[in-house]
Structure formats: structure tokens, C-alpha cells
Amino acid sequence: MSVVPERMLSVEEALERVLSLVRPLPLEEAPILEALDRVLGEDIVADIDIPPFQNSAMDGYAVRSEDVREASPASPVRLRVIGNLAAGQAPDMEVLPGTAVRIMTGAPIPPGADAVVRFEDTDEGRTLEGNLHAGVHTGEVLIMRPAAPHENVRDAGEDVRRGERVLAAGTVLRPAEVGLLASLGHPTVRVHRRPRVAILATGDELVDITEPLGPGKIRNSNEYSNAALVLKYGGVPVRLGIARDSVADLTAKIQAGLAQQVDLFITSAGVSVGDYDVVKDVLHQMGRIHFWQVCMKPGKPLAVGLIDGVPLIGLPGNPVSSMISFEQFVRPAMRVMQGRRTWRRQRIQVVVDEDIKNTSGRRHFIRAVVTRMGEQYYARTTGDQGSGILTSMVKANALLIIPETQRLVRKGELVDAEMLDWPEVE
Ligand code: AMP
Ligand code: MG
């Protein structure tokens, strides 16, 4: 069977059509550490104050500020030490005029005290010597500096107020948010499910990475770069191995993938124009799949559609085409499925260090190393831009975007670059 390609789609049209097939996945309850980098599906309202009680911000002495108003190194104020409070202890004493409590950071401020004088501003050596270790504090301390009311005191609720909405649905959880959830006593939280992504390599020439390379064979690298990309962008790879270019094997492997409750199906190779038609035939028979020509280089052929209701993206086989098509289409789809609103690459303008030709008439994604010097970013290409040169992806930290209509970018001119390792934006 031959499939007549539709007219060439722009990258934007292709992306729009891909995204029309996906939507945010349902929420699930996940332990907070497994919620890292995922999107919160509920508002979080604090049901306690943080900190829960007034406590000391310093190691020192809890005092009545009015007692030490006149304190100075020349004329220290002498206070009787009536007790000791470590973090975690509850006060069982009251600071009356002329007394102080030795207190550690995080310990509750005892009743009567309204300020903490740091150890550095006291002299406890002469008076407390000998009884500190015994835990009996009947000695005295010399206060060398005044403490303003409230000095070194942290108030209950100064971080978070009970009743306050601290995190909004839609927030991407970073380590700080995980810590906040822990401080509020949430062992689990509702987040969007991670997409389970089936990955199927196709081709008679492929051998698995542990197999010897026979004549005419190459290793199945796409399965691994695709699985690594799925992991990197928050999905769960479901690896299906290699399907041979036969109707029976392809059908069986696709069915095996669909049986594993996947949210997205990725195939590799067999979608280009000159290909032996088996992959296209099988995809065509099993689902509503379109075979597109996208106006980009590398990565012109792309198959997109639904198979058993599951969105499928058929990536081209060449290792670089596969990775760039993943970057342009699969990554955004996966981000949307995770409930992320931020999935666009940051684009910056860079000065090119050499002439770059684009005779393809398509949008050319040039692998490049972008570095910053002062206020300006500069790009040099990674060398050979062939779609099989996987080391060009190894070297690159950016894709230069040479427009479809531009045949030449001269050394010193500006072009747009998509930064591959920068956080995605809205
Ligand atoms: P195709 O799209 O089937 O025409 O494949 C294009 C090129 O990609 C060929 O040189 C294939 O050998 C190569 N290729 C296909 N699948 C893989 C794979 N899983 N890993 C590495 N290279 C591949
Ligand atoms: Mg092939």
C-alpha cells in the first residue's frame, strides 16, 4: 500500500496537531518525594502556623528586654540563670525580672522573656563555669549588650499563617515545595500522573546493545535515547524492544505495548518516503495515523495519530532526526500530559561564528555550542550536521533555528537559538 503524503506542514502546524491529541492526565496521590518535578493538582491550605510556636532564632539567653536596656561591655547586667531550653523542650519556667534562661535555636521562648541575647554578647564563662555540664543552672550570666524587644525571636506563623493558601494547583513542585509540604505534615499530595510512554524500535538492521554486530547491522540506539528523553521529561518509559520489518512482528509488538496501559506510543523509523512500507502499513491498519512531511531538517517524516485511542508519534529513524523530532513534538506533548503550562523552549539571539548555509528550504535545526561572553551569546556549530551524526547532539547545548526561507546566515549575524538545557517557559 502506498500512502500519499499530505502537503508539508510547518513545525508549528505539526505541533498544534500533535498537542490536539493530548490533554493533562488524571491526578493521583503520590508520596511527596515522588511528586518532585510534577504538577500539583490541588490547592494546599495550611492548617497550622509555621513555625507553630514563638521560638529563638539564636543560641543565647532569653531575657526581658527591659532588664538589659542599659547593658554594655563596661557595665554588664547580671542575671540569674533559672534554666536551660534545648530545641524540642517545652518551657516549665517563667522569666521574672532579673532572671534569664539559657536557650538554643528553635527552642520555645519561655513566658516572661521577649528577647534573646546571643552568646557572643554575654559572658557566661566566669559565673557558669562548672555547672553547665551538670545541667544545673543556678549561676549567673553577664549581659554585655541591650536587646530590643523581640530581638532574635521568631513568631508563630511568621513563615506561614494557618488558613493561608501556600501552594496553588498548577505549581511545579521543586525541592522547596516538597519541604513546605513536609512542614505542613503532608506525606502525600495530589499530582498529575506521569505519562507511560511505549517505545518501539523498528528495523531489520537493528541489534540490541548487548548483541554482537553482524554484517550490515547497527545497534538500536534510538530506543535508549528515546527512553532517556522520556525519563528526562518526567515520563515512564515502557520499552518494547525491536520489531522486525514484518507485519506479524510489528502487529504483535504494538499490541503488546497497547496492553501495558500506555498514555503515549512512540515508534522509531520506517516512516520516511523511501522506506519499505511495512511500518506504515501496519500503523495505517491498526490506527488513524497520518504520515506527514514536516518542513524541518532533520526530521522531515513524522507519523501522528491515534492507535486504540492512544496518541502515537512515529519518529524518523536517523538518530539525530529522532532526537530533534522528540524535542519538537514529543517533549511538549509529554509536558502537556503532565499538566505543565511551561513547555516552550527559551529562545535567545546568538551571534554565529561562521557562515551557515540552508539550501533545504526547510527550517534547519543546527546543533551548536552556545557560550556567553559579556552580554552577548555566541554560537559555533558542532561540525557535520548529518542526521546520523549522533555526536552532534552529544556536543550541542542548543539548536540554532535557520528559517525556511533563509539560504545563508553570515558569520557575525544573529539567529535564534533554542537552549536545550534551560528550563522551559510558558
Ligand atoms: P528509516 O527511517 O527506517 O529509513 O531509518 C533511517 C536510518 O535510521 C537508517 O540508517 C536506520 O538504520 C537508522 N535507524 C533506524 N532505527 C534505528 C535505531 N533504533 N537506532 C539507531 N539507528 C536507527
Ligand atoms: Mg527502516
Side-chain angles (χ1 to χ4, degrees), residues 8-153:
M8 245 194 227
L9 299 176
S10 69
V11 175
E12 286 76 15
E13 284 170 319
L15 177 60
E16 198 179 309
R17 293 193 192 183
V18 167
L19 293 183
S20 74
L21 297 176
V22 297
R23 64 182 95 84
L25 293 173
L27 303 178
E28 67 180 9
E29 195 82 22
I32 54 175
L33 279 180
E34 283 164 37
L36 181 66
D37 282 334
R38 293 167 70 181
V39 177
L40 191 60
E42 59 180 338
D43 287 348
I44 301 292
V45 176
D47 63 354
I48 52 163
D49 281 343
I50 300 177
F53 50 87
Q54 198 182 49
N55 67 89
S56 178
M58 287 284 172
D59 296 331
Y61 282 86
V63 300
R64 303 167 67 93
S65 58
E66 63 193 77
D67 280 0
V68 301
R69 201 179 310 152
E70 308 293 326
S72 72
S75 146
V77 170
R78 185 177 293 268
L79 297 175
R80 191 163 60 82
V81 180
I82 59 164
N84 192 64
L85 280 173
Q89 290 180 336
D92 59 354
M93 72 288 274
E94 185 177 353
V95 178
L96 296 172
T99 69
V101 167
R102 199 166 191 271
I103 193 167
M104 301 300 132
T105 304
I109 302 291
D114 68 341
V116 172
V117 181
R118 320 177 292 159
F119 281 146
E120 293 88 327
D121 297 331
T122 69
D123 183 350
E124 53 179 355
R126 273 173 296 165
T127 52
L128 285 179
E129 206 175 358
N131 63 18
L132 269 180
H133 299 295
V136 183
H137 303 287
T138 52
E140 292 178 321
V141 62
L142 296 179
I143 307 294
M144 323 294 282
R145 294 197 192 284
H150 208 256
E151 197 166 322
N152 298 326
V153 171

Side-chain angles (χ1 to χ4, degrees), residues 10-12 295 358 360-364 402-407:
S10 69
V11 175
E12 286 76 15
C295 191
N358 179 22
S360 66
R362 290 177 265 147
R363 185 172 307 178
H364 201 161
I402 315 300
E404 295 77 336
T405 50
Q406 190 163 356
R407 294 176 67 84

Side-chain angles (χ1 to χ4, degrees), residues 68-322:
V68 301
R69 201 179 310 152
E70 308 293 326
S72 72
S75 146
V77 170
R78 185 177 293 268
L79 297 175
R80 191 163 60 82
V81 180
I82 59 164
N84 192 64
L85 280 173
Q89 290 180 336
D92 59 354
M93 72 288 274
E94 185 177 353
V95 178
L96 296 172
T99 69
V101 167
R102 199 166 191 271
I103 193 167
M104 301 300 132
T105 304
I109 302 291
D114 68 341
V116 172
V117 181
R118 320 177 292 159
F119 281 146
E120 293 88 327
D121 297 331
T122 69
D123 183 350
E124 53 179 355
R126 273 173 296 165
T127 52
L128 285 179
E129 206 175 358
N131 63 18
L132 269 180
H133 299 295
V136 183
H137 303 287
T138 52
E140 292 178 321
V141 62
L142 296 179
I143 307 294
M144 323 294 282
R145 294 197 192 284
H150 208 256
E151 197 166 322
N152 298 326
V153 171
R154 302 192 285 216
D155 277 330
E158 74 173 19
D159 187 4
V160 171
R161 279 247 161 262
R162 179 185 175 152
E164 187 186 330
R165 186 183 75 167
V166 283
L167 296 175
T171 303
V172 178
L173 300 175
R174 302 168 304 163
E177 283 80 18
V178 171
L180 183 59
L181 288 164
S183 72
L184 289 169
H186 289 261
T188 63
V189 73
R190 288 179 76 69
V191 286
H192 287 277
R193 207 153 61 61
R194 289 184 187 281
R196 289 171 55 77
V197 184
I199 296 166
L200 180 63
T202 71
D204 284 344
E205 74 278 34
L206 303 177
V207 298
D208 200 4
I209 55 173
T210 54
E211 305 277 306
L213 280 175
K217 304 294 184 189
I218 59 164
R219 294 215 170 84
N220 172 17
S221 63
N222 288 354
E223 174 178 339
Y224 292 87
S225 51
N226 282 331
L229 286 164
V230 166
L231 283 172
K232 175 164 172 149
Y233 295 115
V236 179
V238 177
R239 287 161 48 206
L240 304 171
I242 302 164
R244 297 304 166 199
D245 289 318
S246 80
V247 173
D249 197 32
L250 276 161
T251 310
K253 294 258 161 56
I254 291 171
Q255 268 159 359
L258 291 172
Q260 295 195 59
Q261 318 236 290
V262 295
D263 304 297
L264 181 62
F265 210 115
I266 297 175
T267 65
S268 150
V271 294
S272 51
V273 177
D275 256 316
Y276 184 50
D277 265 338
V278 173
V279 176
K280 285 190 210 163
D281 281 355
V282 170
L283 288 178
H284 212 77
Q285 270 159 27
M286 293 184 74
R288 294 203 336 265
I289 310 292
H290 301 274
F291 296 87
W292 295 343
Q293 305 279 298
V294 184
C295 191
M296 63 189 272
K297 182 183 175 177
K300 183 166 73 163
L302 192 74
V304 174
L306 292 174
I307 191 157
D308 234 19
V310 176
L312 177 141
I313 302 177
L315 298 172
N318 280 303
V320 177
S321 316
S322 171

